[in-house]
Amino acid sequence: MRGGRATFDRDGAAYPSGLYDTAQVAEPVEHLEDVGEAELERCRRDGFLPVSRALSPETVRDAVAGLEDLARPNSPADVQYEAWAETLLDTLTPGQRLDVTRKFMSFTAHESRLTAIANDPGILEVVARLLGGAPRMFQDMALLKPPGGGREKPWHQDNAFFHLVPGTPIVGVWVALDAATEDNGCMRVIRGSHRDGPVRHVHLRDLQICDGNVPIDRGVAVPLPPGGLMFFDGLLQHGTPSNDTTTRRRALQFHYTVDEVTSTSAEEYAAVFGMADGDEC
């Protein structure tokens, strides 16, 4: 079996104070079975819908065990480690490696416990109703914020990372494997921002929206317990602050659409998201 790529995250820097301070906290739906037409309409209006008890504790434990197995040397998944762990990596066990990992990608072909979540019937039913057709997953990720060193993910729209034909319908699902709190880096979103359309992105601390262009006054924090999740539109503006606590904040993220995704040209992408070499805020 071919191994995945192992890289180290070189992005990240200090960010402005107050960039993730939000006056509002999201009100979650309790269970997937509670997502009816009113909740779907809320998601279409706000661009996101949190569900607090979507997965069982057993499923969450299995998912964490699956990530630990993927954290071994020569992992079949693509793994990105925090840059500050580079000199430590060879001395760590798989369990310890998980606490210096920033991201896993392309793992569902290798880890059945995580594939089962991506294909969970209850999750897919909601995604299908939001997309208006049978969902097809085209990206799988695990996003980790290790304790005391998990860095920020600046404000962005996920569609800016995909280089797809404009108008491609995309629904993301973000699944908490630990308690995601306002202190350790839970999701922050700008309510209704998907309806503003694509916005200009530049590469500063990461590919991101310029800090001064984020309408923080519409910001909402989305804390979730383990097993909670959030459905969200691919154009929703969102980000997460760094984790400077002693707690873990590990999550899975999947993106779905209804058809085969088609890449767009560099010119069309730049026309939509406004990124060009040398762009600055």
Side-chain angles (χ1 to χ4, degrees):
M1 180 183 298
R2 182 188 66 82
R5 294 184 306 122
T7 59
F8 291 88
D9 176 25
R10 306 296 182 189
D11 284 324
Y15 54 87
S17 174
L19 187 59
Y20 298 97
D21 290 349
T22 56
Q24 303 176 66
V25 177
E27 291 283 343
V29 174
E30 187 77 4
H31 299 102
L32 288 170
E33 295 79 7
D34 299 324
V35 180
E37 191 52 46
E39 289 71 30
L40 293 172
E41 185 54 35
R42 170 185 162 189
C43 188
R44 296 183 187 109
R45 180 192 69 232
D46 293 346
F48 71 101
L49 179 71
V51 181
S52 60
R53 302 185 187 280
L55 301 179
S56 70
E58 295 76 19
T59 299
V60 171
R61 285 196 294 270
D62 285 347
V64 172
L67 291 179
E68 287 187 356
D69 285 351
L70 290 173
R72 65 186 184 273
N74 300 316
S75 174
D78 293 340
V79 188
Q80 185 182 76
Y81 298 101
E82 296 283 358
W84 47 261
E86 186 165 7
T87 60
L88 305 172
L89 199 59
D90 291 340
T91 69
L92 303 178
T93 66
Q96 292 170 328
R97 279 175 174 248
L98 209 57
D99 278 342
V100 300
T101 300
R102 173 167 171 74
K103 183 190 301 182
F104 293 96
M105 295 187 70
S106 304
F107 51 72
T108 51
H110 311 288
E111 177 44 65
S112 61
R113 290 166 288 192
L114 302 179
T115 307
I117 296 174
N119 294 328
D120 180 88
I123 293 174
L124 292 184
E125 179 183 357
V126 176
V127 173
R129 292 162 74 188
L130 290 170
L131 287 173
R136 189 185 72 81
M137 186 187 73
F138 69 94
Q139 187 188 63
D140 54 317
M141 307 173 72
L143 305 169
L144 283 61
K145 286 189 188 290
R151 81 163 179 86
E152 170 208 26
K153 181 66 176 180
W155 290 98
H156 65 283
Q157 296 171 303
D158 282 356
N159 284 13
F161 287 82
F162 298 145
H163 292 246
L164 302 179
V165 170
T168 299
I170 293 172
V171 170
V173 180
W174 193 95
V175 182
L177 300 180
D178 302 297
T181 70
E182 292 184 68
D183 292 328
N184 73 5
C186 78
M187 191 76 83
R188 269 71 162 180
V189 304
I190 303 299
R191 190 190 305 275
S193 56
H194 63 304
R195 291 185 277 113
D196 299 335
V199 299
R200 179 173 173 261
H201 285 62
V202 297
H203 202 121
L204 298 174
R205 301 184 301 280
D206 199 330
L207 180 61
Q208 64 176 91
I209 302 168
C210 294
D211 296 329
N213 293 343
V214 180
I216 303 295
D217 58 315
R218 290 158 54 191
V220 182
V222 191
L224 288 168
L229 59 76
M230 183 180 81
F231 299 99
F232 65 103
D233 190 281
L235 285 174
L236 183 74
Q237 297 178 33
H238 62 285
T240 57
S242 60
N243 178 15
D244 300 316
T245 75
T246 59
T247 64
R248 298 178 176 90
R249 200 241 60 186
R250 298 169 293 196
L252 304 176
Q253 183 169 278
F254 306 105
H255 283 99
Y256 303 86
T257 189
V258 290
D259 297 305
E260 292 292 322
V261 291
T262 304
S263 297
T264 189
S265 67
E267 293 77 15
E268 188 174 32
Y269 173 82
V272 173
F273 287 101
M275 188 181 70
D277 290 342
D279 265 3
E280 296 180 357
C281 289

